[in-house]
Amino acid sequence: MDREQFSAGEHIKPGITRGRSYRARPRPMEKKQPISDRGQDPRRLELCLVNSNNGRRIGETLDAELSGYSVPLEHSFETDDVTNFRVRGALILKPGREQSVSLSQNQLSEEDRIRLKEVAAVDGLYKIRVPRVSLQSDRAERAMEGHLTAFVRACAMVESHLSDVLTLHTDVSGVLIGVSIVTLPGACRGTEVEDEVDLETFNTTLSVMAPISAPGPETALFLERLEQETEKKGKPQEQKSFFAKYWYLILGGAIFLMLSNSAQPPAGGAREQS
Amino acid sequence: MAELILLLLRCSVLFSAVHAVFEDQVGKFDWRQQYVGNVRFAHFDNQIQSSKKVLVATDDNVFAAINTRTGELFWRHVDKNGPEGSIDALLLQGQDAIMVVGDGRLLRSWDVNVGGLNWETVLDSGSFQSASLVGQQDHVRYVAVLKKAAISLHYLSNGHQKWIENLPESDTVDYQSVYSDGTGEVFVLGLVPNSHITVVVYSLDDGEILKQFTVDCPWLSELLSSCSVIGRGMLTCVDLLSLSLNMFDLHSDSEMNRVSLESIGLEVSPSFRPLLVSTQPNAARAPLSEFLLQMGPDQHVLLQLHMGQILTLRDFKPAMLASFATSGEKTVVAVMSPKNQTASSINLFSAETGRRLLDTTLIFTMDPNGGKPVQLYVQAFLKKDDSVGYRVMVQTEDHQLTFIQQPGRVMWTREEALSDVVTMEMVDLPLTATQAELEGEFGKKADGLLSMVLKRLSSQLILVQAWATHLWKLFYDARKPRSQVKNEVTIENLSRDDFNLQKMMVMVTASGKLFGIDSKTGTIVWKHYLENVPLNAAFNLMVQRTTAHFPHPPQCTLLIKDKDTGLAMLHVFNPIFGKKSHISPPLLPQPILQSLLLPLMDQDYAKVLLLVDDQYKVSAFPSSKNVLQQLQEMASSIFFYLVDAEQGRLSGYRLRTDLSTELIWEVVLPTEVQKIVSVKEKKANEHVHSQGRVMGDRSVLYKYLNPNLLALVTESTDQHQERSFVGIFLIDGITGRIIHEAVQRKARGPVHIVHSENWVVYEYWSTKSRRVEFSVIELYEGMELYNSSVFSSLDRPLAPQVLHQSYIFPSAVSAMEATMTEKGITSRHLLIGLPSGGILSLPKMFLDPRRPEILSEQSREENLIPYAPELPIRTEWFINYNQSVSRVRGIHTAPSGLESTCLVVAYGLDIYQTRVYPSKQFDVLKDDYDYMLISSVLLALFFATMISKRLAEVKLLNRAWR
């Protein structure tokens, strides 16, 4: 094995934030969509914008209704840095060719709202986790050991009024490998959230991302273009005669010669004397 | 038409960034050093008295001839890497060197004089055991190759096989050695451990088994190290249990004759395995009846077998090393014994009598920063008065070769440890003494106005003086011819030059030896051998303090970690002088998972190194109060990540104020599908000058410049060529957010990857098309920056735009790196080490996912090259012209003080240092700049204005008079 490659079990280099300052200017958030000439991201397989805060308890009847398989989505926010995951909602996975994931989640209780604000005040973290599951295979094979965890600053959660974007990342075989959470807007500006109602319901956008196929070298198109170019170039050039090609040069030369001849007569000289 | 011409012109302007050097620039700012590796076999070429060659075969599968006068290489053959090219045996006969390669796969004969291949034969399969020259009637004509189950005899002249015979009972008997003494018989010795020795005697002429017998020796477990043939076929073995010598005659099939070591007055050091060394100067004759027995780490005994009796000729104690050498008919023993702390003496003894030869003492001064000697290679020769003279090559455990002549003059040394550089850094040189004096003035506290003025005046005076001496030296040197001007580099005159082009290369080698090399000349300024470095150590070299903080010395820290146990140690040293720092590094009793260098500094300007142990506890070095306080303040913004490739797990942690850690994110890649092969983060000292790219319509496309981005490469576990893939993940190292995941289907490693600015370039093997391909990913934020003042991973809710494109590369790749400059203004090039030995400087412009398939007006405005699937290799792009670098393993780039210039070091078997100018030398006058012309024109203009002014005045005066 190459020396550059690390061996099994060895842990690799560090990462830390470089330069952190959250006192940046407020910035309006209307330009969410990056301008792209390649159109929408093809990876976002299926999105279900879920606003299902109908007050039902998890796992009551939803499971059966959608004939899917549900796994808990848990969250944790504590003022001291311990981690204590509680159920936030349920991810309902529908197997089959057109896999889809939807989310049903509870309202935040009074107690939780207060705690979330407290955590935000001490710049704590809001963590979520989902179990490692496969989105494609049957129920029996789905569950694997361990969880996938992600976090966002609790203050961002509060200030965005619980508007978050969850992304589930899968590998080529459809197994969940990671989850990510961001809030919109993402910054913490220290604005006070007065209205308790704003912190009641989650406004979550959920998406699933599978790896895209990286493009290979595009030989076919290039060859086609090359052929077209040679066709375009090749034919007219053969037919053009010498005069057809360089008529403007010859004409220009002739005019120049004529002009320089006609400029010599003494007519101009006569005018100069006056 | 006009457009096309314009395009062509533009292209020609774009691509004319020629990197090739002119002929007179060769060697001006580049150098190459060639190495061979740790020596496994060495033979002196003794066919003529005046020969000055030593032939070496090394662990790195290199066969070379070294000039014994200068230490330079006459020629060198680099074979395949790995076991396929490993050299099993090297035998020298006259001007032929016979070599067995690749576990008995090939038999080769080389001409020693020119290094040409005489012949090569492919041997039958079977694992190699031993090889020996076989002679008859005083002429050596054959070579015998012993394999696990067969023995074959080959002609020395053409390599043809004379005969091959299977060995009897080869599944039970372990045949290990072959012996002949010119009598027309070939003895094959095999062993059944702890039972008996089997001897098979073959006829030299037709390979017929003449005799076959066994000798009981239930105490013997190892044949090669404990047994040797002495004199006329007397097999002698050392019995470790009863501490005795056991002999029997191979010719007469007799019983073992046992001689206790005690009875001849010898005592073996406790728990030492005695070693038996005999010598056979001529393969066509019997070995000498004298032999050496090593009794302990510092005791050797010269013994003689005389009429079946063992006589002690001489007891060398203390003696670290002893070795036989033959010149003509005389055989001598060279013995190295310690003299004092720093030196040892080598003496020559006659092998026949054991008497010390007069005037043969040679002093070998041991380098206090080097390793212990492990092997002596002696070149003996007859002087005019028929006495024996000698030179000796000492191999030390740090892979150094030292060649010494009487009475102790070191002719040359070769640092073969440098053939296996693991990691390196380039450190700025310190200021000169005078500059430092000036600097020191600002550092000190003010003590009165007058004294400050005086101090300033004196330092200015010193500066003037230094400048005057410099001028004088320039003037003095200018008169001498160029070849005589020597720029010797010593520690004293090491100082930074005007453009910081000269740096100290700190190189860490696999053997545990550290080197400081001057980057301008390649001179080794210092070396330091670290003892007790484990064999499979991983090294991480960090610059904790640069030279910028005078009067604090620069400081480097090397983390040495045992890959098996994870236990680590720190070595703190000064990178300019190589001296070990007086700061005692902390002891690390726990295995270390991760080390990270923070941008935080302690009161002495040393960056803080954090070490994470397997309990996820963090310790800091230096761990002063100041540092701990800073850490507590910063704790909530210090994040780090760990990668466990075995379980496919990446996890992120945040530091708590009590220096414990908190798990904050986790990503798990199932190992059943893919395994992580490498993780690459951006270089910490990289600068990006431009925030975006200007598009054809004058709008700006902003780059996604996330300093915490990791590029992770995986390879599929399924190796089938239809289903194998290479995965690329871009993950934020703080939040664990997967920014991008892509899969390159029908691809396989090895993957080389470069991660810089807003792009990732990787190279892989396409199994479908059977070729090497490059792929580039670029990340853009879009036309608007989310937050232009600062980047924080915690506040980037929008995913970047990802552009991806792939290309065909017409060569394999052995190493890859990107150029780096001071401010990042200069355009980037990729430096690609090719297996052919070339180092290609490929403009990054060719690896741009925005290269359009169909040219439009806008892309033309942007100077984009139209897409072509194949990346070109142009000969003028090779930065090392004909200076091929063998087996490039890594390329290191460092910025210089000039924005246009990037320093490059390629290391592998060889080391090559040069400079590259990716955007040409826009801030430097050319070498051939005509100073004379410009100054004479200036002078002429000056005088012309003076004269014309005068003339004009005269004219005005005249007009006024009129």
Side-chain angles (χ1 to χ4, degrees):
Chain A
M1 188 183 264
D2 269 355
R3 207 171 291 284
E4 278 81 17
Q5 294 172 0
F6 55 90
S7 81
E10 191 194 345
H11 295 282
I12 316 157
K13 287 193 170 178
I16 56 156
T17 41
R18 294 171 193 147
R20 265 179 30 134
S21 147
Y22 300 108
R23 259 162 276 134
R25 272 175 279 132
R27 189 176 259 279
M29 285 301 308
E30 66 258 303
K31 287 129 192 158
K32 281 178 194 167
Q33 234 24 56
I35 299 151
S36 159
D37 45 355
R38 301 212 164 180
Q40 267 293 335
D41 196 333
R43 287 174 297 169
R44 296 189 185 265
L45 289 178
E46 178 139 350
L47 316 185
C48 310
L49 187 71
V50 181
N51 257 323
S52 57
N53 292 287
N54 39 17
R56 264 190 293 194
R57 305 297 310 167
I58 311 301
E60 265 179 25
T61 47
L62 266 173
D63 212 348
E65 243 171 61
L66 296 162
S67 74
Y69 171 63
S70 102
V71 291
L73 168 70
E74 294 166 299
H75 61 177
S76 153
F77 42 98
E78 303 287 334
T79 41
D80 42 354
D81 284 341
V82 293
T83 309
N84 178 20
F85 280 106
R86 279 154 298 152
V87 175
R88 164 174 157 176
L91 286 168
I92 295 131
L93 319 167
K94 265 200 226 167
R97 185 162 296 178
E98 292 221 345
Q99 61 180 42
S100 83
V101 180
S102 58
L103 177 66
S104 113
Q105 43 194 356
N106 306 334
Q107 289 194 340
L108 216 54
S109 70
E110 175 88 41
E111 190 191 333
D112 283 350
R113 284 200 297 265
I114 294 166
R115 193 189 300 140
L116 185 61
K117 278 177 115 178
E118 276 172 7
V119 175
V122 296
D123 195 13
L125 302 182
Y126 174 85
K127 294 181 214 166
I128 58 161
R129 73 170 187 192
V130 290
R132 289 177 59 201
V133 288
S134 168
L135 297 188
Q136 275 177 353
S137 52
D138 290 335
R139 186 178 292 214
E141 295 166 23
R142 278 178 175 182
M144 274 167 271
E145 237 173 76
H147 288 83
L148 305 166
T149 323
F151 76 101
V152 69
R153 296 171 77 200
C155 54
M157 203 69 192
V158 171
E159 282 176 37
S160 65
H161 307 291
L162 303 185
S163 316
D164 54 355
V165 180
L166 292 185
T167 313
L168 302 174
H169 299 268
T170 66
D171 71 353
V172 276
S173 59
V175 178
L176 275 193
I177 55 164
V179 57
S180 76
I181 176 169
V182 288
T183 60
L184 277 174
C188 282
R189 300 197 184 84
T191 47
E192 201 57 37
V193 178
E194 296 295 336
D195 201 351
E196 286 284 311
V197 184
D198 283 343
L199 290 183
E200 249 176 27
T201 54
F202 286 101
N203 176 18
T204 306
T205 313
L206 180 71
S207 58
V208 177
M209 251 198 219
I212 58 159
S213 272
E218 298 235 15
T219 36
L221 215 93
F222 178 76
L223 288 176
E224 208 173 281
R225 208 185 72 212
L226 217 65
E227 245 165 54
Q228 277 176 2
E229 255 169 44
T230 46
E231 260 173 41
K232 235 189 253 172
K233 256 187 222 164
K235 277 177 190 168
Q237 267 185 356
E238 281 164 27
Q239 288 160 356
K240 270 187 185 173
S241 68
F242 177 78
F243 285 104
K245 260 198 223 163
Y246 299 110
W247 63 270
Y248 51 92
L249 286 179
I250 295 164
L251 194 73
I255 289 172
F256 179 74
L257 277 176
M258 272 162 63
L259 279 178
S260 57
N261 281 339
S262 63
Q264 273 173 4
R271 220 181 295 148
E272 216 171 277
Q273 279 173 347
S274 67
Chain B
M1 185 74 194
E3 268 178 17
L4 205 85
I5 292 170
L6 205 70
L7 180 81
L8 280 176
L9 271 176
R10 211 171 258 161
C11 285
S12 63
V13 170
L14 275 176
F15 305 151
S16 61
V18 175
H19 320 288
V21 287
F22 292 101
E23 198 178 349
D24 60 338
Q25 285 179 313
V26 164
K28 206 166 175 189
F29 38 70
D30 64 321
W31 50 261
R32 177 181 65 164
Q33 285 169 358
Q34 290 187 308
Y35 294 96
V36 294
N38 187 27
V39 170
R40 187 183 287 177
F41 307 106
H43 291 292
F44 285 95
D45 176 21
N46 274 341
Q47 48 168 327
I48 40 170
Q49 199 63 257
S50 61
S51 169
K52 43 182 187 182
K53 272 193 200 81
V54 55
L55 300 159
V56 293
T58 70
D59 292 345
D60 286 346
N61 308 349
V62 176
F63 178 49
I66 301 173
N67 185 338
T68 55
R69 302 284 189 278
T70 60
E72 279 155 16
L73 296 179
F74 276 119
W75 44 260
R76 182 180 77 167
H77 294 285
V78 182
D79 208 333
K80 279 179 195 146
N81 220 342
E84 228 181 316
S86 95
I87 298 167
D88 301 319
L90 175 67
L91 306 165
L92 193 66
Q93 175 58 41
Q95 59 172 347
D96 296 334
I98 315 294
M99 213 160 83
V100 183
V101 179
D103 197 17
R105 196 171 49 88
L106 293 170
L107 184 68
R108 285 186 183 141
S109 165
W110 301 90
D111 186 306
V112 165
N113 292 329
V114 291
L117 185 67
N118 289 333
W119 47 260
E120 178 185 274
T121 6
V122 181
L123 298 177
D124 288 352
S125 62
S127 84
F128 174 78
Q129 293 292 336
S130 170
S132 162
L133 293 169
V134 178
Q136 201 172 17
Q137 289 144 11
D138 266 12
H139 285 289
V140 182
R141 290 216 186 89
Y142 316 101
V143 58
V145 179
L146 181 70
K147 298 241 186 153
K148 194 97 192 135
I151 176 169
S152 57
L153 203 72
H154 300 261
Y155 291 97
L156 275 185
S157 52
N158 53 18
H160 290 180
Q161 187 176 292
K162 186 174 163 77
W163 49 258
I164 181 163
E165 290 298 328
N166 284 328
L167 294 166
E169 297 159 48
S170 62
D171 43 347
T172 52
V173 184
D174 185 13
Y175 291 97
Q176 289 181 356
S177 114
V178 56
Y179 157 79
S180 84
D181 52 10
T183 51
E185 291 170 333
V186 179
F187 295 84
V188 176
L189 308 177
L191 177 76
V192 178
N194 301 320
S195 171
H196 59 267
I197 295 176
T198 304
V199 181
V200 188
V201 187
Y202 288 93
S203 156
L204 182 61
D205 298 323
D206 50 5
E208 192 191 339
I209 295 182
L210 300 176
K211 221 174 0 172
Q212 186 180 352
F213 56 92
T214 61
V215 183
D216 282 337
C217 44
W219 38 267
L220 193 66
S221 59
E222 174 83 56
L223 191 71
L224 276 180
S225 62
S226 11
C227 295
S228 200
V229 180
I230 287 149
R232 284 238 149 255
M234 196 62 106
L235 184 71
T236 311
C237 294
V238 188
D239 179 4
L240 297 173
L241 291 173
S242 65
L243 293 175
S244 56
L245 286 174
N246 298 271
M247 299 173 289
F248 79 91
D249 198 341
L250 287 176
H251 295 285
S252 68
D253 186 12
S254 62
E255 277 292 296
M256 273 272 183
N257 181 10
R258 175 170 291 218
V259 179
S260 151
L261 285 175
E262 250 177 0
S263 69
I264 47 174
L266 295 174
E267 202 174 316
V268 179
S269 314
S271 76
F272 186 82
R273 205 191 155 103
L275 220 66
L276 209 124
V277 181
S278 68
T279 180
Q280 186 175 13
N282 188 342
R285 291 192 208 152
L288 295 187
S289 55
E290 291 82 20
F291 61 99
L292 280 168
L293 187 65
Q294 189 177 2
M295 310 290 294
D298 59 349
Q299 189 186 10
H300 289 79
V301 188
L302 180 66
L303 300 169
Q304 189 183 38
L305 180 73
H306 185 69
M307 314 284 286
Q309 295 288 312
I310 300 251
L311 304 175
T312 310
L313 290 181
R314 194 166 183 121
D315 189 354
F316 304 112
K317 190 178 182 180
M320 296 119 83
L321 295 171
S323 174
F324 281 110
T326 305
S327 175
E329 294 296 308
K330 282 190 181 170
T331 299
V332 290
V333 185
V335 178
M336 180 187 250
S337 46
K339 194 162 182 249
N340 53 34
Q341 288 281 322
T342 58
S344 41
S345 62
I346 301 169
N347 281 297
L348 226 51
F349 297 86
S350 159
E352 273 170 56
T353 58
R355 260 203 306 264
R356 200 170 83 87
L357 300 177
L358 288 176
D359 298 329
T360 56
T361 308
L362 188 152
I363 306 295
F364 171 64
T365 322
M366 282 191 285
D367 186 355
N369 294 323
K372 290 189 203 74
V374 288
Q375 186 66 266
L376 280 182
Y377 301 102
V378 183
Q379 182 188 26
F381 53 87
L382 291 177
K383 289 186 191 161
K384 277 181 192 134
D385 57 353
D386 217 28
S387 65
V388 181
Y390 73 118
R391 301 183 193 98
V392 64
M393 186 166 81
V394 185
Q395 186 183 8
T396 47
E397 60 183 351
D398 54 350
H399 303 182
Q400 188 193 52
L401 295 178
T402 314
F403 194 77
I404 316 167
Q405 205 181 21
Q406 273 178 290
R409 194 164 73 88
V410 175
M411 305 269 285
W412 47 264
T413 55
R414 285 185 70 88
E415 293 291 352
E416 292 303 338
L418 282 172
S419 68
D420 200 357
V421 175
V422 182
T423 175
M424 66 169 292
E425 279 291 339
M426 285 180 114
V427 184
D428 292 352
L429 290 175
L431 303 165
T432 54
T434 48
Q435 284 168 322
E437 174 88 3
L438 211 61
E439 286 284 315
E441 198 180 315
F442 299 110
K444 281 168 204 155
K445 288 197 179 82
D447 44 7
L449 192 67
L450 192 71
S451 65
M452 285 289 277
V453 169
L454 281 179
K455 209 180 271 171
R456 161 53 62 94
L457 281 179
S458 69
S459 49
Q460 298 281 33
L461 209 71
I462 292 169
L463 274 186
V464 169
Q465 199 185 338
W467 186 63
T469 49
H470 174 72
L471 278 188
W472 170 247
K473 195 166 172 259
L474 266 185
F475 175 70
Y476 193 74
D477 282 350
R479 294 190 312 173
K480 279 199 270 185
R482 217 172 210 192
S483 56
Q484 283 184 18
V485 181
K486 269 188 200 165
N487 285 322
E488 279 200 2
V489 181
T490 57
I491 282 185
E492 284 74 41
N493 64 16
L494 267 184
S495 67
R496 202 178 302 178
D497 57 339
D498 295 340
F499 300 121
N500 203 3
L501 289 165
Q502 188 178 6
K503 295 202 180 200
M504 180 64 80
M505 294 159 50
V506 180
M507 298 189 124
V508 181
T509 61
S511 66
K513 197 168 190 186
L514 312 183
F515 291 91
I517 300 177
D518 170 39
S519 76
K520 197 175 179 185
T521 56
T523 322
I524 296 172
V525 180
W526 58 264
K527 44 199 170 187
H528 187 90
Y529 178 62
L530 297 174
E531 279 158 39
N532 58 50
V533 166
L535 266 180
N536 56 346
F539 298 91
N540 191 1
L541 181 65
M542 290 155 286
V543 183
Q544 274 198 297
R545 182 165 54 221
T546 60
T547 31
H549 305 285
F550 186 84
H552 300 290
Q555 181 180 323
C556 275
T557 303
L558 180 69
L559 179 76
I560 305 151
K561 184 174 131 180
D562 191 316
K563 273 185 189 162
D564 293 338
T565 62
L567 287 174
M569 57 181 178
L570 289 173
H571 174 68
V572 186
F573 62 100
N574 179 332
I576 305 298
F577 306 117
K579 284 197 195 83
K580 196 174 173 182
S581 170
H582 60 271
I583 303 166
S584 54
L587 287 174
L588 309 167
Q590 295 281 350
I592 296 296
L593 296 182
Q594 173 75 292
S595 68
L596 54 160
L597 199 63
L598 298 183
L600 290 181
M601 286 188 191
D602 73 346
Q603 68 274 25
D604 292 339
Y605 306 102
K607 283 183 187 166
V608 177
L609 177 69
L610 285 191
L611 298 164
V612 185
D613 64 21
D614 64 344
Q615 305 296 314
Y616 302 104
K617 283 260 189 296
V618 173
S619 55
F621 170 71
S623 56
S624 63
K625 217 174 191 179
N626 177 308
V627 169
L628 293 178
Q629 196 185 340
Q630 284 191 62
L631 274 181
Q632 271 181 9
E633 281 164 19
M634 296 280 292
S636 67
S637 62
I638 295 176
F639 297 83
F640 61 90
Y641 67 90
L642 299 176
V643 181
D644 186 346
E646 205 147 89
Q647 294 176 24
R649 183 184 299 271
L650 280 96
S651 39
Y653 293 83
R654 180 162 86 154
L655 198 67
R656 289 189 188 142
T657 45
D658 60 346
L659 293 189
S660 63
T661 55
E662 178 186 6
L663 177 74
I664 50 173
W665 60 264
E666 237 179 332
V667 168
V668 186
L669 302 168
T671 44
E672 302 87 63
V673 182
Q674 53 197 335
K675 57 180 192 295
I676 302 172
V677 290
S678 86
V679 177
K680 198 97 175 179
E681 61 180 31
K682 290 181 192 175
K683 282 190 182 173
N685 56 348
E686 180 185 81
H687 291 273
V688 182
H689 181 71
S690 65
Q691 289 271 306
R693 286 178 66 166
V694 180
M695 314 288 285
D697 58 358
R698 298 285 172 241
S699 59
V700 178
L701 184 63
Y702 285 101
K703 295 174 184 169
Y704 179 77
L705 296 168
N706 184 349
N708 312 313
L709 197 67
L710 311 175
L712 187 95
V713 182
T714 63
E715 274 182 50
S716 60
T717 349
D718 191 349
Q719 284 294 314
H720 187 270
Q721 63 164 24
E722 285 296 311
R723 292 187 296 271
S724 70
F725 64 87
V726 167
I728 294 286
F729 296 82
L730 301 181
I731 298 177
D732 189 302
I734 305 293
T735 61
R737 189 176 168 199
I738 300 176
I739 305 285
H740 182 68
E741 47 176 321
V743 166
Q744 201 83 47
R745 301 209 180 256
K746 290 174 189 164
R748 208 184 325 170
V751 178
H752 294 93
I753 182 163
V754 174
H755 184 192
S756 176
E757 287 192 31
N758 64 329
W759 49 264
V760 174
V761 172
Y762 60 94
E763 170 268 339
Y764 56 90
W765 172 257
S766 164
T767 50
K768 185 188 166 202
S769 317
R770 294 164 179 276
R771 65 191 175 200
V772 174
E773 291 180 2
F774 266 74
S775 216
V776 57
I777 301 175
E778 284 195 2
L779 302 171
Y780 290 98
E781 288 214 3
M783 296 306 185
E784 284 280 335
L785 269 184
Y786 177 76
N787 178 352
S788 56
S789 57
V790 72
F791 189 97
S792 166
S793 287
L794 297 172
D795 178 20
R796 284 279 140 150
L798 304 177
Q801 272 173 261
V802 181
L803 304 179
H804 203 151
Q805 211 170 50
S806 298
Y807 314 87
I808 303 163
F809 190 68
S811 165
V813 171
S814 47
M816 193 155 76
E817 189 55 85
T819 59
M820 185 162 63
T821 51
E822 180 91 358
K823 298 271 179 259
I825 298 168
T826 308
S827 58
R828 310 292 295 270
H829 278 199
L830 283 179
L831 300 170
I832 302 166
L834 306 181
S836 64
I839 295 167
L840 188 76
S841 177
L842 180 73
K844 168 69 179 54
M845 200 162 41
F846 282 92
L847 289 157
D848 181 355
R850 295 182 39 78
R851 282 176 71 175
E853 257 137 37
I854 294 144
L855 262 188
S856 69
E857 193 59 50
Q858 291 210 345
S859 55
R860 218 166 275 150
E861 191 71 28
E862 251 189 275
N863 276 339
L864 293 176
I865 310 162
Y867 181 78
E870 187 165 10
L871 293 172
I873 291 186
R874 291 178 200 188
T875 41
E876 72 265 24
W877 284 352
F878 285 104
I879 57 171
N880 57 341
Y881 46 105
N882 64 355
Q883 308 275 328
S884 301
V885 189
S886 281
R887 291 196 200 140
V888 184
R889 258 195 316 273
I891 298 173
H892 183 89
T893 54
S896 72
L898 286 172
E899 173 54 32
S900 65
T901 309
C902 168
L903 305 176
V904 177
V905 182
Y907 54 85
L909 188 62
D910 303 341
I911 295 175
Y912 180 72
Q913 191 276 148
T914 190
R915 301 173 192 166
V916 289
Y917 318 98
S919 300
K920 297 212 266 183
Q921 287 177 284
F922 57 80
D923 49 4
V924 181
L925 288 179
K926 281 214 180 73
D927 268 352
D928 53 355
Y929 186 77
D930 204 340
Y931 292 94
M932 283 305 280
L933 184 74
I934 198 90
S935 47
S936 56
V937 164
L938 266 179
L939 274 178
L941 276 174
F942 177 72
F943 283 116
T945 37
M946 294 298 280
I947 291 163
S948 57
K949 199 177 166 193
R950 176 81 191 133
L951 286 177
E953 270 172 11
V954 169
K955 199 176 177 184
L956 268 178
L957 194 69
N958 285 345
R959 192 179 286 172
W961 276 109
R962 204 177 286 164

